[in-house]
Amino acid sequence: MTPLLAVDAPSLYFRAFHGVPAASALAPDGSPVNAVRGFLDMISTLVKTRRPGRLVCALDNDWRPQWRVDLIASYKTHRLAPAGGEEVPDALVPQVELLLQVLEAVGIAAYGVDGNEADDVLGTLAARSPGPVEVVSGDRDLFQLVDDARGVRLLYVGRGVAKLEDCDEAAVLAKYGVPASGYADFAALRGDPSDGLPGVAGVGEKTAARLIERYGSIDAIVAAAADPASDFAPGVRTKLAAAADYLAVAPKVVRVATDVKLPDVDPTLPAVPRDADRMLELAERWNLASPCRRLVDALAAAAN
């Protein structure tokens, strides 16, 4: 089975938007297309270097699912726009629609699932797709998907695609001191301000890693802390007790769903654009000729 490249599209197009100066990437009418150009170049680089036979761009149909908010009300509240919805730069909003039009013309699968984030689409692809699977994201939560037995790796692009970190289970362990299977509980203990997750007050990354290393999961940690006969450090025991309500729900919020109903879409990476005329039209109208050409060349190279 050819490799599946499962791309966290929002992670990449936000990085492209902030990483490519808008003034250097304008359409003939003056509209910024920096996110589109940067995203297409990232995909071209990934296709050229990873040579996948399959590719899916996962989307946020719901960037802040209600089922997660019901469990932790602070989930992503700092990213809420005053009028509701996600706070997205005005110049990025129309570029996302344009990007999807280009991907459709090329024939690259791109979809989300209602009520779920892109992470949940990626989690389900990683759990259900025949391996190997390479998940591409700058979201640390996706370290939990790494699974050597199933051939699932995370291509972590926190420092950009050019400096991506190709992570297997050994890399996750070396980076955080916990196995990939324990990463979600580790992250729940530590907390994550970028997602509005408070973590356990007074428990930092090192303590969280030691607890996961010793006990394996939050359930086992809580059970040991509640046992008067255990040799649990009194200070940490107190901190965990104070966070009991949070710990009861946080793992479910942090864990990526692996059972969402995915649309029946062929992930096969095309060797040539599906609709070359439409792609050419978009490229000429929006000053995307160079990144589109690079993508076409990458598709051809990957097919050979």
Side-chain angles (χ1 to χ4, degrees), residues 50-290:
R50 310 308 298 190
R51 303 182 74 85
R54 299 168 290 156
L55 195 156
V56 172
C57 290
L59 305 173
D60 277 332
N61 274 27
D62 191 341
W63 70 281
R64 188 172 179 257
Q66 189 60 46
W67 61 270
R68 285 191 167 104
V69 176
D70 288 344
L71 294 172
I72 297 181
S74 63
Y75 186 64
K76 294 187 177 180
T77 51
H78 63 293
R79 287 163 55 184
L80 276 170
E86 184 178 16
E87 193 167 24
V88 179
D90 290 343
L92 176 57
V93 175
Q95 292 194 62
V96 175
E97 177 56 34
L98 172 58
L99 174 60
L100 295 179
Q101 291 177 30
V102 175
L103 292 177
E104 182 179 18
V106 175
I108 291 177
Y111 56 78
V113 174
D114 290 347
N116 291 275
E117 303 175 49
D119 286 7
D120 302 313
V121 173
L122 296 168
T124 303
L125 285 168
R128 294 183 180 175
S129 299
V133 178
E134 295 187 330
V135 179
V136 183
S137 180
D139 185 343
R140 294 184 299 173
D141 284 342
L142 295 178
F143 281 111
Q144 67 186 275
L145 299 181
V146 174
D147 185 339
D148 289 356
R150 296 202 69 257
V152 180
R153 309 172 76 89
L154 175 66
L155 306 184
Y156 182 65
V157 295
R159 296 185 299 156
V161 168
K163 298 180 180 179
L164 68 78
E165 300 172 54
D166 183 352
C167 298
D168 58 7
E169 292 194 36
V172 179
L173 185 62
K175 193 176 184 71
Y176 292 106
V178 298
S181 59
Y183 185 87
D185 281 2
F186 159 77
L189 286 167
R190 177 199 62 197
D192 189 346
S194 68
D195 280 340
L197 299 175
V200 176
V203 172
E205 191 162 288
K206 290 183 179 179
T207 300
R210 284 197 299 269
L211 290 170
I212 293 297
E213 180 184 22
R214 179 171 183 182
Y215 298 101
S217 70
I218 282 180
D219 286 345
I221 292 167
V222 169
D227 181 359
S230 71
D231 60 350
F232 225 89
V236 178
R237 190 193 303 266
T238 300
K239 292 169 184 175
L240 292 170
D245 290 344
Y246 167 79
L247 291 174
V249 296
K252 185 175 181 181
V253 173
V254 177
R255 287 189 192 113
V256 171
T258 59
D259 59 353
V260 301
K261 184 175 176 53
L262 301 179
D264 186 15
V265 176
D266 184 0
T268 301
L269 185 68
V272 296
R274 174 185 298 158
D275 189 340
D277 290 341
R278 174 62 172 158
M279 183 179 183
L280 181 60
E281 174 193 347
L282 291 168
E284 292 180 345
R285 178 180 177 186
W286 296 102
N287 189 26
L288 299 173
S290 294

Side-chain angles (χ1 to χ4, degrees), residues 36-37 40-41 44 279 287-296:
V36 181
R37 291 179 67 95
L40 293 177
D41 279 340
S44 297
M279 183 179 183
N287 189 26
L288 299 173
S290 294
C292 284
R293 186 179 307 112
R294 286 189 285 270
L295 181 53
V296 170

